[in-house]
Amino acid sequence: MMTADEPQPSPGMTIELARFRVREGAEDTLVAERPEMVAALRRRFPACLAAYLTKDDDGEWLDVILWRSRAEAEEAAREINSVPECAAWFRHISESGGLRHVEVVSAWSLSGGL
C-alpha cells in the first residue's frame, strides 16, 4: 500500500525497454557517444524523462528510457531514425533483441521527482 508521501507516477508514464548486442570492439565507442545521442534524443523528443544504459553479464545490453506517456514513446520509436545522432549510434548494434513499452503503475525515487 502506498502512503501519501510516496511520489506517484504521472498517468501514462511509460518505460521503453530495448535489448540488443553490440558489435565486437564497439562497446567503448557506444558508451562514449551515448551522452551526445541522449541529448539529441531529448531535444527532438522532450517527453524523454530519463535514460539508463545497462549491460548484463552475458553481454546483452538493455536501454531503459522513461517517457512521459506511451503515445510519446511510440512516436519516438517510429521516428527515432530521423535524429542523425541516434541513427549514427545504432551502427554499434549488431543484433536487436526487440523493443517493449511498459506502463509505470507505481514508482519511488530518491529524489522524489516522479
Side-chain angles (χ1 to χ4, degrees):
M1 177 178 200
M2 288 192 120
T3 63
D5 62 340
E6 291 182 39
Q8 300 293 312
S10 300
M13 194 177 287
T14 296
I15 294 176
E16 180 175 274
L17 304 167
R19 292 193 176 281
F20 59 92
R21 293 200 176 271
V22 176
R23 294 189 188 286
E24 189 171 330
E27 289 186 3
D28 290 343
T29 307
L30 174 106
V31 173
E33 292 178 3
R34 176 90 171 159
E36 180 182 351
M37 186 276 288
V38 171
L41 175 76
R42 294 196 67 231
R43 280 191 302 275
R44 172 64 178 85
F45 303 105
C48 176
L49 304 176
Y52 305 90
L53 182 62
T54 69
K55 181 181 177 186
D56 202 341
D57 292 339
D58 70 357
E60 187 172 68
W61 293 70
L62 180 65
D63 205 350
V64 180
I65 301 180
L66 180 63
W67 294 94
R68 187 172 43 221
S69 73
R70 185 178 195 113
E72 290 165 308
E74 290 174 347
E75 174 190 4
R78 283 190 306 273
E79 298 179 17
I80 194 68
N81 285 319
S82 71
V83 180
E85 296 87 347
C86 295
W89 192 78
F90 294 151
R91 79 185 184 284
H92 303 303
I93 296 174
S94 64
E95 178 184 334
S96 173
L99 179 74
R100 296 180 55 196
H101 291 113
V102 295
E103 180 184 359
V104 176
V105 295
S106 179
W108 177 88
S109 171
L110 181 61
S111 67
L114 294 178

PDB file of all heavy atoms in Angstrom, residues 56-81:
ATOM      1  N   ASP A  56      24.304  -6.639 -19.235  1.00  0.00           N
ATOM      2  CA  ASP A  56      24.159  -7.872 -18.467  1.00  0.00           C
ATOM      3  C   ASP A  56      25.467  -8.662 -18.521  1.00  0.00           C
ATOM      4  O   ASP A  56      26.314  -8.434 -19.376  1.00  0.00           O
ATOM      5  CB  ASP A  56      23.012  -8.710 -19.053  1.00  0.00           C
ATOM      6  CG  ASP A  56      22.445  -9.709 -18.066  1.00  0.00           C
ATOM      7  OD1 ASP A  56      23.117 -10.029 -17.062  1.00  0.00           O
ATOM      8  OD2 ASP A  56      21.326 -10.184 -18.314  1.00  0.00           O
ATOM      9  N   ASP A  57      25.613  -9.594 -17.601  1.00  0.00           N
ATOM     10  CA  ASP A  57      26.807 -10.431 -17.538  1.00  0.00           C
ATOM     11  C   ASP A  57      27.016 -11.247 -18.812  1.00  0.00           C
ATOM     12  O   ASP A  57      28.142 -11.605 -19.145  1.00  0.00           O
ATOM     13  CB  ASP A  57      26.745 -11.384 -16.338  1.00  0.00           C
ATOM     14  CG  ASP A  57      26.852 -10.651 -15.022  1.00  0.00           C
ATOM     15  OD1 ASP A  57      27.351  -9.502 -14.997  1.00  0.00           O
ATOM     16  OD2 ASP A  57      26.438 -11.226 -13.991  1.00  0.00           O
ATOM     17  N   ASP A  58      25.922 -11.544 -19.530  1.00  0.00           N
ATOM     18  CA  ASP A  58      26.039 -12.358 -20.746  1.00  0.00           C
ATOM     19  C   ASP A  58      26.391 -11.527 -21.980  1.00  0.00           C
ATOM     20  O   ASP A  58      26.449 -12.040 -23.094  1.00  0.00           O
ATOM     21  CB  ASP A  58      24.765 -13.164 -20.986  1.00  0.00           C
ATOM     22  CG  ASP A  58      23.572 -12.311 -21.394  1.00  0.00           C
ATOM     23  OD1 ASP A  58      23.688 -11.070 -21.444  1.00  0.00           O
ATOM     24  OD2 ASP A  58      22.501 -12.889 -21.662  1.00  0.00           O
ATOM     25  N   GLY A  59      26.621 -10.226 -21.792  1.00  0.00           N
ATOM     26  CA  GLY A  59      26.992  -9.360 -22.904  1.00  0.00           C
ATOM     27  C   GLY A  59      25.819  -8.667 -23.582  1.00  0.00           C
ATOM     28  O   GLY A  59      26.020  -7.855 -24.475  1.00  0.00           O
ATOM     29  N   GLU A  60      24.601  -8.990 -23.154  1.00  0.00           N
ATOM     30  CA  GLU A  60      23.440  -8.313 -23.725  1.00  0.00           C
ATOM     31  C   GLU A  60      23.264  -6.957 -23.041  1.00  0.00           C
ATOM     32  O   GLU A  60      23.493  -6.813 -21.848  1.00  0.00           O
ATOM     33  CB  GLU A  60      22.185  -9.162 -23.539  1.00  0.00           C
ATOM     34  CG  GLU A  60      20.979  -8.588 -24.253  1.00  0.00           C
ATOM     35  CD  GLU A  60      19.788  -9.526 -24.226  1.00  0.00           C
ATOM     36  OE1 GLU A  60      19.244  -9.737 -23.128  1.00  0.00           O
ATOM     37  OE2 GLU A  60      19.425 -10.038 -25.291  1.00  0.00           O
ATOM     38  N   TRP A  61      22.856  -5.963 -23.815  1.00  0.00           N
ATOM     39  CA  TRP A  61      22.637  -4.616 -23.315  1.00  0.00           C
ATOM     40  C   TRP A  61      21.135  -4.352 -23.250  1.00  0.00           C
ATOM     41  O   TRP A  61      20.353  -4.928 -24.016  1.00  0.00           O
ATOM     42  CB  TRP A  61      23.284  -3.605 -24.243  1.00  0.00           C
ATOM     43  CG  TRP A  61      24.781  -3.689 -24.262  1.00  0.00           C
ATOM     44  CD1 TRP A  61      25.541  -4.698 -24.804  1.00  0.00           C
ATOM     45  CD2 TRP A  61      25.701  -2.760 -23.721  1.00  0.00           C
ATOM     46  NE1 TRP A  61      26.871  -4.430 -24.626  1.00  0.00           N
ATOM     47  CE2 TRP A  61      27.003  -3.246 -23.972  1.00  0.00           C
ATOM     48  CE3 TRP A  61      25.562  -1.549 -23.055  1.00  0.00           C
ATOM     49  CZ2 TRP A  61      28.148  -2.559 -23.573  1.00  0.00           C
ATOM     50  CZ3 TRP A  61      26.700  -0.863 -22.667  1.00  0.00           C
ATOM     51  CH2 TRP A  61      27.972  -1.374 -22.922  1.00  0.00           C
ATOM     52  N   LEU A  62      20.750  -3.475 -22.343  1.00  0.00           N
ATOM     53  CA  LEU A  62      19.351  -3.066 -22.215  1.00  0.00           C
ATOM     54  C   LEU A  62      19.329  -1.554 -22.061  1.00  0.00           C
ATOM     55  O   LEU A  62      19.936  -1.004 -21.136  1.00  0.00           O
ATOM     56  CB  LEU A  62      18.694  -3.736 -21.009  1.00  0.00           C
ATOM     57  CG  LEU A  62      17.219  -3.396 -20.768  1.00  0.00           C
ATOM     58  CD1 LEU A  62      16.348  -3.917 -21.914  1.00  0.00           C
ATOM     59  CD2 LEU A  62      16.753  -3.981 -19.446  1.00  0.00           C
ATOM     60  N   ASP A  63      18.649  -0.902 -22.978  1.00  0.00           N
ATOM     61  CA  ASP A  63      18.454   0.542 -22.907  1.00  0.00           C
ATOM     62  C   ASP A  63      17.089   0.755 -22.267  1.00  0.00           C
ATOM     63  O   ASP A  63      16.079   0.241 -22.761  1.00  0.00           O
ATOM     64  CB  ASP A  63      18.494   1.137 -24.316  1.00  0.00           C
ATOM     65  CG  ASP A  63      18.903   2.592 -24.329  1.00  0.00           C
ATOM     66  OD1 ASP A  63      18.981   3.207 -23.243  1.00  0.00           O
ATOM     67  OD2 ASP A  63      19.156   3.118 -25.424  1.00  0.00           O
ATOM     68  N   VAL A  64      17.059   1.480 -21.173  1.00  0.00           N
ATOM     69  CA  VAL A  64      15.832   1.725 -20.411  1.00  0.00           C
ATOM     70  C   VAL A  64      15.561   3.224 -20.465  1.00  0.00           C
ATOM     71  O   VAL A  64      16.359   4.017 -19.968  1.00  0.00           O
ATOM     72  CB  VAL A  64      15.987   1.256 -18.946  1.00  0.00           C
ATOM     73  CG1 VAL A  64      14.709   1.513 -18.163  1.00  0.00           C
ATOM     74  CG2 VAL A  64      16.407  -0.205 -18.880  1.00  0.00           C
ATOM     75  N   ILE A  65      14.450   3.595 -21.081  1.00  0.00           N
ATOM     76  CA  ILE A  65      14.128   5.014 -21.238  1.00  0.00           C
ATOM     77  C   ILE A  65      12.752   5.276 -20.635  1.00  0.00           C
ATOM     78  O   ILE A  65      11.792   4.560 -20.905  1.00  0.00           O
ATOM     79  CB  ILE A  65      14.161   5.435 -22.721  1.00  0.00           C
ATOM     80  CG1 ILE A  65      15.563   5.168 -23.285  1.00  0.00           C
ATOM     81  CG2 ILE A  65      13.776   6.906 -22.874  1.00  0.00           C
ATOM     82  CD1 ILE A  65      15.741   5.535 -24.722  1.00  0.00           C
ATOM     83  N   LEU A  66      12.683   6.311 -19.823  1.00  0.00           N
ATOM     84  CA  LEU A  66      11.433   6.713 -19.187  1.00  0.00           C
ATOM     85  C   LEU A  66      10.795   7.828 -20.010  1.00  0.00           C
ATOM     86  O   LEU A  66      11.449   8.833 -20.308  1.00  0.00           O
ATOM     87  CB  LEU A  66      11.701   7.203 -17.760  1.00  0.00           C
ATOM     88  CG  LEU A  66      10.483   7.666 -16.961  1.00  0.00           C
ATOM     89  CD1 LEU A  66       9.490   6.522 -16.747  1.00  0.00           C
ATOM     90  CD2 LEU A  66      10.942   8.243 -15.624  1.00  0.00           C
ATOM     91  N   TRP A  67       9.534   7.611 -20.376  1.00  0.00           N
ATOM     92  CA  TRP A  67       8.778   8.561 -21.193  1.00  0.00           C
ATOM     93  C   TRP A  67       7.582   9.084 -20.422  1.00  0.00           C
ATOM     94  O   TRP A  67       6.997   8.379 -19.592  1.00  0.00           O
ATOM     95  CB  TRP A  67       8.286   7.890 -22.471  1.00  0.00           C
ATOM     96  CG  TRP A  67       9.389   7.498 -23.389  1.00  0.00           C
ATOM     97  CD1 TRP A  67      10.014   6.282 -23.462  1.00  0.00           C
ATOM     98  CD2 TRP A  67      10.034   8.325 -24.351  1.00  0.00           C
ATOM     99  NE1 TRP A  67      10.994   6.308 -24.416  1.00  0.00           N
ATOM    100  CE2 TRP A  67      11.034   7.557 -24.978  1.00  0.00           C
ATOM    101  CE3 TRP A  67       9.859   9.653 -24.742  1.00  0.00           C
ATOM    102  CZ2 TRP A  67      11.846   8.059 -25.983  1.00  0.00           C
ATOM    103  CZ3 TRP A  67      10.674  10.156 -25.749  1.00  0.00           C
ATOM    104  CH2 TRP A  67      11.645   9.367 -26.351  1.00  0.00           C
ATOM    105  N   ARG A  68       7.170  10.290 -20.740  1.00  0.00           N
ATOM    106  CA  ARG A  68       6.019  10.916 -20.099  1.00  0.00           C
ATOM    107  C   ARG A  68       4.732  10.153 -20.413  1.00  0.00           C
ATOM    108  O   ARG A  68       3.828  10.064 -19.579  1.00  0.00           O
ATOM    109  CB  ARG A  68       5.924  12.367 -20.566  1.00  0.00           C
ATOM    110  CG  ARG A  68       4.879  13.177 -19.873  1.00  0.00           C
ATOM    111  CD  ARG A  68       4.947  14.658 -20.227  1.00  0.00           C
ATOM    112  NE  ARG A  68       5.174  14.882 -21.652  1.00  0.00           N
ATOM    113  CZ  ARG A  68       5.989  15.814 -22.130  1.00  0.00           C
ATOM    114  NH1 ARG A  68       6.689  16.578 -21.320  1.00  0.00           N
ATOM    115  NH2 ARG A  68       6.129  15.971 -23.434  1.00  0.00           N
ATOM    116  N   SER A  69       4.648   9.574 -21.621  1.00  0.00           N
ATOM    117  CA  SER A  69       3.445   8.826 -21.989  1.00  0.00           C
ATOM    118  C   SER A  69       3.787   7.751 -23.007  1.00  0.00           C
ATOM    119  O   SER A  69       4.804   7.828 -23.698  1.00  0.00           O
ATOM    120  CB  SER A  69       2.383   9.760 -22.585  1.00  0.00           C
ATOM    121  OG  SER A  69       2.752  10.165 -23.890  1.00  0.00           O
ATOM    122  N   ARG A  70       2.906   6.773 -23.115  1.00  0.00           N
ATOM    123  CA  ARG A  70       3.114   5.702 -24.095  1.00  0.00           C
ATOM    124  C   ARG A  70       3.038   6.243 -25.520  1.00  0.00           C
ATOM    125  O   ARG A  70       3.818   5.855 -26.382  1.00  0.00           O
ATOM    126  CB  ARG A  70       2.089   4.588 -23.884  1.00  0.00           C
ATOM    127  CG  ARG A  70       2.348   3.415 -24.805  1.00  0.00           C
ATOM    128  CD  ARG A  70       1.359   2.279 -24.576  1.00  0.00           C
ATOM    129  NE  ARG A  70       1.877   1.101 -25.217  1.00  0.00           N
ATOM    130  CZ  ARG A  70       2.289   0.005 -24.586  1.00  0.00           C
ATOM    131  NH1 ARG A  70       2.230  -0.054 -23.279  1.00  0.00           N
ATOM    132  NH2 ARG A  70       2.751  -1.024 -25.249  1.00  0.00           N
ATOM    133  N   ALA A  71       2.100   7.145 -25.769  1.00  0.00           N
ATOM    134  CA  ALA A  71       1.960   7.704 -27.115  1.00  0.00           C
ATOM    135  C   ALA A  71       3.246   8.406 -27.531  1.00  0.00           C
ATOM    136  O   ALA A  71       3.702   8.259 -28.676  1.00  0.00           O
ATOM    137  CB  ALA A  71       0.783   8.672 -27.170  1.00  0.00           C
ATOM    138  N   GLU A  72       3.860   9.144 -26.619  1.00  0.00           N
ATOM    139  CA  GLU A  72       5.103   9.843 -26.945  1.00  0.00           C
ATOM    140  C   GLU A  72       6.265   8.859 -27.128  1.00  0.00           C
ATOM    141  O   GLU A  72       7.127   9.059 -27.987  1.00  0.00           O
ATOM    142  CB  GLU A  72       5.414  10.878 -25.872  1.00  0.00           C
ATOM    143  CG  GLU A  72       4.427  12.043 -25.921  1.00  0.00           C
ATOM    144  CD  GLU A  72       4.444  12.900 -24.688  1.00  0.00           C
ATOM    145  OE1 GLU A  72       4.317  12.359 -23.561  1.00  0.00           O
ATOM    146  OE2 GLU A  72       4.576  14.130 -24.846  1.00  0.00           O
ATOM    147  N   ALA A  73       6.277   7.791 -26.347  1.00  0.00           N
ATOM    148  CA  ALA A  73       7.299   6.749 -26.503  1.00  0.00           C
ATOM    149  C   ALA A  73       7.161   6.068 -27.862  1.00  0.00           C
ATOM    150  O   ALA A  73       8.158   5.835 -28.557  1.00  0.00           O
ATOM    151  CB  ALA A  73       7.184   5.722 -25.380  1.00  0.00           C
ATOM    152  N   GLU A  74       5.936   5.760 -28.249  1.00  0.00           N
ATOM    153  CA  GLU A  74       5.703   5.096 -29.527  1.00  0.00           C
ATOM    154  C   GLU A  74       6.024   6.018 -30.703  1.00  0.00           C
ATOM    155  O   GLU A  74       6.559   5.577 -31.711  1.00  0.00           O
ATOM    156  CB  GLU A  74       4.274   4.576 -29.595  1.00  0.00           C
ATOM    157  CG  GLU A  74       4.059   3.404 -28.642  1.00  0.00           C
ATOM    158  CD  GLU A  74       2.623   2.933 -28.556  1.00  0.00           C
ATOM    159  OE1 GLU A  74       1.707   3.638 -29.043  1.00  0.00           O
ATOM    160  OE2 GLU A  74       2.412   1.844 -27.977  1.00  0.00           O
ATOM    161  N   GLU A  75       5.712   7.307 -30.562  1.00  0.00           N
ATOM    162  CA  GLU A  75       6.066   8.268 -31.609  1.00  0.00           C
ATOM    163  C   GLU A  75       7.582   8.317 -31.785  1.00  0.00           C
ATOM    164  O   GLU A  75       8.093   8.287 -32.910  1.00  0.00           O
ATOM    165  CB  GLU A  75       5.548   9.664 -31.254  1.00  0.00           C
ATOM    166  CG  GLU A  75       6.013  10.731 -32.232  1.00  0.00           C
ATOM    167  CD  GLU A  75       5.718  12.144 -31.755  1.00  0.00           C
ATOM    168  OE1 GLU A  75       5.225  12.340 -30.633  1.00  0.00           O
ATOM    169  OE2 GLU A  75       6.010  13.067 -32.537  1.00  0.00           O
ATOM    170  N   ALA A  76       8.306   8.384 -30.678  1.00  0.00           N
ATOM    171  CA  ALA A  76       9.766   8.425 -30.743  1.00  0.00           C
ATOM    172  C   ALA A  76      10.313   7.149 -31.389  1.00  0.00           C
ATOM    173  O   ALA A  76      11.241   7.208 -32.193  1.00  0.00           O
ATOM    174  CB  ALA A  76      10.354   8.618 -29.353  1.00  0.00           C
ATOM    175  N   ALA A  77       9.741   6.004 -31.041  1.00  0.00           N
ATOM    176  CA  ALA A  77      10.200   4.740 -31.625  1.00  0.00           C
ATOM    177  C   ALA A  77      10.010   4.738 -33.147  1.00  0.00           C
ATOM    178  O   ALA A  77      10.871   4.247 -33.882  1.00  0.00           O
ATOM    179  CB  ALA A  77       9.462   3.566 -30.989  1.00  0.00           C
ATOM    180  N   ARG A  78       8.905   5.306 -33.612  1.00  0.00           N
ATOM    181  CA  ARG A  78       8.645   5.364 -35.059  1.00  0.00           C
ATOM    182  C   ARG A  78       9.590   6.326 -35.767  1.00  0.00           C
ATOM    183  O   ARG A  78       9.969   6.102 -36.907  1.00  0.00           O
ATOM    184  CB  ARG A  78       7.200   5.813 -35.326  1.00  0.00           C
ATOM    185  CG  ARG A  78       6.154   4.766 -35.123  1.00  0.00           C
ATOM    186  CD  ARG A  78       4.787   5.226 -35.639  1.00  0.00           C
ATOM    187  NE  ARG A  78       4.348   6.502 -35.074  1.00  0.00           N
ATOM    188  CZ  ARG A  78       3.686   6.642 -33.924  1.00  0.00           C
ATOM    189  NH1 ARG A  78       3.398   5.582 -33.204  1.00  0.00           N
ATOM    190  NH2 ARG A  78       3.317   7.832 -33.501  1.00  0.00           N
ATOM    191  N   GLU A  79       9.959   7.425 -35.100  1.00  0.00           N
ATOM    192  CA  GLU A  79      10.703   8.498 -35.755  1.00  0.00           C
ATOM    193  C   GLU A  79      12.173   8.593 -35.348  1.00  0.00           C
ATOM    194  O   GLU A  79      12.869   9.524 -35.759  1.00  0.00           O
ATOM    195  CB  GLU A  79      10.003   9.827 -35.471  1.00  0.00           C
ATOM    196  CG  GLU A  79       8.589   9.869 -36.024  1.00  0.00           C
ATOM    197  CD  GLU A  79       7.868  11.175 -35.730  1.00  0.00           C
ATOM    198  OE1 GLU A  79       8.542  12.171 -35.381  1.00  0.00           O
ATOM    199  OE2 GLU A  79       6.635  11.190 -35.847  1.00  0.00           O
ATOM    200  N   ILE A  80      12.650   7.646 -34.557  1.00  0.00           N
ATOM    201  CA  ILE A  80      13.994   7.733 -33.978  1.00  0.00           C
ATOM    202  C   ILE A  80      15.090   7.857 -35.032  1.00  0.00           C
ATOM    203  O   ILE A  80      16.077   8.575 -34.834  1.00  0.00           O
ATOM    204  CB  ILE A  80      14.262   6.540 -33.030  1.00  0.00           C
ATOM    205  CG1 ILE A  80      15.487   6.819 -32.174  1.00  0.00           C
ATOM    206  CG2 ILE A  80      14.404   5.240 -33.788  1.00  0.00           C
ATOM    207  CD1 ILE A  80      15.317   7.909 -31.173  1.00  0.00           C
ATOM    208  N   ASN A  81      14.936   7.209 -36.165  1.00  0.00           N
ATOM    209  CA  ASN A  81      15.977   7.265 -37.195  1.00  0.00           C
ATOM    210  C   ASN A  81      16.055   8.624 -37.886  1.00  0.00           C
ATOM    211  O   ASN A  81      16.991   8.880 -38.640  1.00  0.00           O
ATOM    212  CB  ASN A  81      15.798   6.142 -38.208  1.00  0.00           C
ATOM    213  CG  ASN A  81      16.230   4.819 -37.629  1.00  0.00           C
ATOM    214  OD1 ASN A  81      17.242   4.732 -36.935  1.00  0.00           O
ATOM    215  ND2 ASN A  81      15.448   3.778 -37.881  1.00  0.00           N
TER     216      ASN A  81
END
